[in-house]
Amino acid sequence: DTAVSQTPKYLVTQMGNDKSIKCEQNLGHDTMYWYKQDSKKFLKIMFSYNNKELIINETVPNRFSPKSPDKAHLNLHINSLELGDSAVYFCASSQMGLTGDFTDTQYFGPGTRLTVL
Amino acid sequence: AQKVTQAQTEISVVEKEDVTLDCVYETRDTTYYLFWYKQPPSGELVFLIRRNSFDEQNEISGRYSWNFQKSTSSFNFTITASQVVDSAVYFCALSERGSTLGRLYFGRGTQLTVWP
């Protein structure tokens, strides 16, 4: 059973194009995240949503727009792709704690390797 | 400033050797959580362990063990009798209960290579 899934796994595209990455989780979690892993393997958070509401929006170019149609899905749309956007993008999910914190374990999807030519 | 430091960029060992991966963290929160994740060559991120700041008991799971020491702000990970399948990048991460809204701060990872 896939817990957190992402599509596509690989995405190769030209500079200037617009592309989307989809994420779905079947863990029943209410919080979802997007992380970016650069070529040196450094992982950094981009966005998070709790119950479809944006709660973290890091310093990310506004060409990146997340959309959460429901608790189980968080998609990432990227406009006008640039060479520097090439990276692996990970989706993750977790459950908000009873006291309203977000420190529970985050489970990650398999990643989407985006290559911009 | 880096909240999580993994000073070892790469470690190579031969199978059956024990290996310890170091992790030092920095936080002002009194309540926080520490994690280890494994990223094998296939690329996915696999959760290994979560510890909270109030539980300093060491944990053992099979060949894996973790040593949490608040006095030195360290959360080290030891693999006993390493195997080739342990070859991966290992990430230590920190989550603070404060106002950071679930941000996981990752270290830069340690690439472990286990040779047969």
Side-chain angles (χ1 to χ4, degrees):
Chain A
D1 283 349
T2 305
V4 183
S5 59
Q6 294 177 229
T7 52
K9 187 159 171 61
Y10 300 96
L11 189 49
V12 181
T13 188
Q14 300 284 338
M15 245 180 10
N17 284 349
D18 303 339
K19 289 292 177 186
S20 291
I21 306 172
K22 294 186 176 182
C23 178
E24 177 181 359
Q25 55 94 4
N26 64 6
L27 296 167
H29 290 161
D30 58 7
T31 308
M32 296 183 73
Y33 310 79
W34 278 111
Y35 285 83
K36 179 180 180 180
Q37 185 175 44
D38 64 22
S39 58
K40 294 186 178 178
K41 298 272 188 180
F42 185 54
L43 280 151
K44 190 167 190 298
I45 192 163
M46 300 172 69
F47 302 102
S48 77
Y49 271 75
N50 172 253
N51 282 316
K52 302 193 298 176
E53 191 178 322
L54 181 68
I55 56 170
I56 292 178
N57 185 350
E58 286 293 78
T59 311
V60 175
N62 58 15
R63 298 182 295 103
F64 290 79
S65 52
K67 281 190 175 52
S68 182
D70 56 56
K71 284 195 318 182
H73 296 84
L74 179 62
N75 303 324
L76 183 65
H77 188 76
I78 316 170
N79 287 328
S80 304
L81 278 156
E82 299 177 358
L83 294 176
D85 298 332
S86 295
V88 180
Y89 293 86
F90 283 98
C91 176
S93 75
S94 70
Q95 182 62 31
M96 187 173 73
L98 295 173
T99 53
D101 63 60
F102 298 94
T103 54
D104 209 347
T105 300
Q106 293 180 26
Y107 293 92
F108 285 78
T112 295
R113 181 174 293 277
L114 170 65
T115 304
V116 183
L117 303 174
Chain B
Q2 189 80 353
K3 282 187 179 275
V4 178
T5 301
Q6 293 180 254
Q8 305 148 309
T9 309
E10 294 181 20
I11 300 177
S12 285
V13 298
V14 177
E15 242 185 341
K16 296 184 184 169
E17 280 185 32
D18 298 347
V19 58
T20 296
L21 310 182
D22 297 334
C23 173
V24 173
Y25 62 92
E26 185 182 323
T27 180
R28 291 182 181 176
D29 271 16
T30 53
T31 304
Y32 53 90
Y33 297 81
L34 295 162
F35 302 80
W36 277 94
Y37 286 85
K38 174 182 179 179
Q39 187 173 37
S42 48
E44 70 273 24
L45 278 164
V46 179
F47 163 71
L48 296 178
I49 190 170
R50 171 181 183 261
R51 299 309 298 273
N52 74 55
S53 51
F54 298 108
D55 182 2
E56 283 193 75
Q57 237 182 347
N58 290 336
E59 177 140 350
I60 299 175
S61 175
R63 296 184 297 106
Y64 294 172
S65 62
W66 290 269
N67 182 287
F68 176 29
Q69 294 202 345
K70 282 176 84 167
S71 59
T72 54
S73 297
S74 65
F75 186 44
N76 296 337
F77 173 29
T78 298
I79 302 175
T80 303
S82 58
Q83 300 176 0
V84 172
V85 293
D86 295 328
S87 296
V89 180
Y90 290 88
F91 292 96
C92 181
L94 165 74
S95 180
E96 298 164 315
R97 189 168 177 184
S99 60
T100 55
L101 301 173
R103 280 174 182 79
L104 261 183
Y105 296 99
F106 283 89
R108 292 198 169 264
T110 297
Q111 169 73 60
L112 173 66
T113 303
V114 182
W115 297 99

